[in-house]
């Protein structure tokens, strides 16, 4: 075990988190039941031990067990960090394969002559860029519930040293664009409120698309009028 990368306090804290997660599937899962008892007994032995030497030995043993479980976390019956964010991660992964459509071209900002010459096109493209970014962010974050995102943020805040940089960056990114949070849980008691949120979301998306269409019609009118004059 590469225990030196983490302090005993961090590892034991992770152990408590694993016990909590395993306890969620305790009832119907034999492996979870066994792991909960095993880890809990190790942790309890540390708390009640009065010998400093023995306590140090027990802590080392417990930390080794926790790290071994963490290394094999894909096999243990807990909800792993980012599990419910997988649909989002898949979408982001697909977008990464191509050049991002919202790249900021600085040379266009600095080229006033080019802007003046094609001001109608620039105005149209700016509307498309701005609104498309908003549609993208709102649609992406609406694929998950606020509760899911908050749980993964808690993993990072309390046990971030055990997660990869990529896992942390995904949650940070989603948190930064968390403008709309909607849960699609059909069993929710607050279904009316969630339906209202859905309506607000689609009203906002329709508004952005309408603005894009309006910008297109303005561009069309300007260019057609210009063509007739020529």
């Amino acid at each position: 075990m590469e225990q030196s990368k983490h302090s005993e306090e961090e590892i034991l804290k992770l152990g408590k988190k694993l016990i909590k997660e395993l306890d969620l599937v305790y009832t119907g899962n034999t492996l979870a039941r066994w792991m909960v008892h095993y880890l809990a007994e190790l942790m309890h032995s540390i708390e009640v031990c009065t010998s400093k030497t023995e306590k140090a030995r027990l802590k080392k043993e417990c930390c080794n067990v926790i790290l071994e479980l963490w290394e094999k976390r894909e096999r243990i019956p807990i909800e792993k960090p980012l599990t419910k964010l997988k649909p989002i991660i898949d979408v982001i992964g697909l977008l990464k394969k191509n050049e991002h459509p919202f790249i900021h071209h600085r040379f266009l900002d600095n080229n006033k002559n080019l802007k003046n010459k094609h001001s109608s096109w620039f105005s149209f493209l700016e509307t498309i860029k701005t609104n498309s970014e908003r549609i993208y962010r709102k649609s992406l974050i609406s694929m998950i519930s606020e509760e899911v995102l908050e749980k993964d943020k808690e993993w990072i805040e309390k046990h971030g040293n055990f997660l990869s940089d990529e896992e942390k960056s995904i949650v940070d990114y989603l948190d930064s664009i968390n403008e709309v949070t909607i849960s699609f849980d059909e069993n929710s008691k607050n279904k009316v409120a969630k339906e209202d949120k859905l309506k607000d979301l689609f009203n906002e998306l329709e508004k952005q698309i309408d603005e894009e269409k309006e910008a297109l019609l303005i561009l069309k009118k300007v260019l057609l009028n210009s063509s007739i004059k020529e």
Side-chain angles (χ1 to χ4, degrees):
M1 297 295 110
E2 297 183 14
Q3 186 170 325
S4 59
K5 289 185 177 180
H6 310 287
S7 68
E8 284 188 340
E9 183 181 353
E10 287 178 322
I11 299 170
L12 293 173
K13 187 177 178 182
L14 175 64
K16 291 179 181 178
K17 174 67 172 176
L18 291 178
I19 290 174
K20 182 179 178 181
E21 292 296 314
L22 285 164
D23 209 29
L24 295 175
V25 291
Y26 176 98
T27 305
N29 191 298
T30 304
L31 179 59
R33 274 202 307 272
W34 180 83
M35 286 184 173
V36 167
H37 284 304
Y38 183 51
L39 266 181
E41 285 179 5
L42 282 174
M43 302 284 276
H44 179 69
S45 297
I46 294 171
E47 291 177 4
V48 299
C49 183
T50 56
S51 167
K52 289 185 178 180
T53 303
E54 181 63 11
K55 178 170 283 195
R57 187 192 67 78
L58 287 171
K59 279 187 176 182
K60 184 176 181 180
E61 179 185 349
C62 189
C63 286
N64 285 336
V65 170
I66 292 167
L67 288 176
E68 186 174 356
L69 286 175
W70 183 247
E71 286 177 2
K72 299 175 180 177
R73 59 187 175 277
E74 294 304 320
R75 302 179 189 175
I76 63 176
I78 65 168
E79 185 178 293
K80 288 78 177 174
L82 279 72
T83 297
K84 290 188 176 179
L85 293 183
K86 190 177 185 304
I88 305 292
I89 296 170
D90 290 343
V91 170
I92 295 173
L94 286 173
L95 292 174
K96 279 183 178 179
K97 293 181 180 179
N98 300 304
E99 184 177 351
H100 198 285
F102 307 129
I103 291 175
H104 187 68
H105 295 289
R106 292 182 181 178
F107 78 92
L108 294 179
D109 291 339
N110 298 328
N111 197 326
K112 292 183 179 180
N113 292 330
L114 189 60
K115 270 192 170 183
N116 293 333
K117 184 178 180 180
H118 303 286
S119 59
S120 298
W121 277 108
F122 269 89
S123 178
F124 170 68
L125 288 173
E126 187 61 31
T127 299
I128 294 297
K129 175 181 177 294
T130 301
N131 287 25
S132 295
E133 285 177 333
R134 290 173 181 167
I135 291 170
Y136 166 78
R137 290 196 302 268
K138 288 181 181 293
S139 299
L140 188 66
I141 205 66
S142 295
M143 292 175 68
I144 57 173
S145 71
E146 186 173 7
E147 291 79 11
V148 169
L149 187 56
E150 284 301 317
K151 184 170 183 179
D152 283 318
K153 282 171 61 181
E154 183 182 346
W155 265 107
I156 288 173
E157 289 169 5
K158 296 183 178 179
H159 312 285
N161 289 339
F162 295 92
L163 302 176
S164 69
D165 290 339
E166 184 178 9
E167 287 173 322
K168 289 184 280 189
S169 66
I170 288 171
V171 175
D172 287 342
Y173 171 66
L174 291 174
D175 189 40
S176 71
I177 63 170
N178 188 20
E179 299 174 339
V180 179
T181 51
I182 297 177
S183 171
F184 293 99
D185 184 4
E186 295 178 355
N187 298 319
S188 172
K189 295 179 181 179
N190 197 16
K191 191 173 180 181
V192 175
K194 294 183 185 303
E195 287 178 354
D196 288 341
K197 285 185 178 182
L198 267 179
K199 290 177 183 177
D200 289 343
L201 169 66
F202 285 109
N203 286 339
E204 178 64 22
L205 295 180
E206 288 170 9
K207 177 184 175 183
Q208 302 299 330
I209 293 172
D210 287 343
E211 287 180 2
E212 291 183 343
K213 184 175 181 180
E214 183 180 353
L216 175 64
L217 293 176
I218 291 173
L219 175 66
K220 178 181 177 182
K221 183 177 180 180
V222 169
L223 294 182
L224 286 177
N225 287 341
S226 175
S227 177
I228 292 172
K229 290 179 182 179
E230 290 176 359

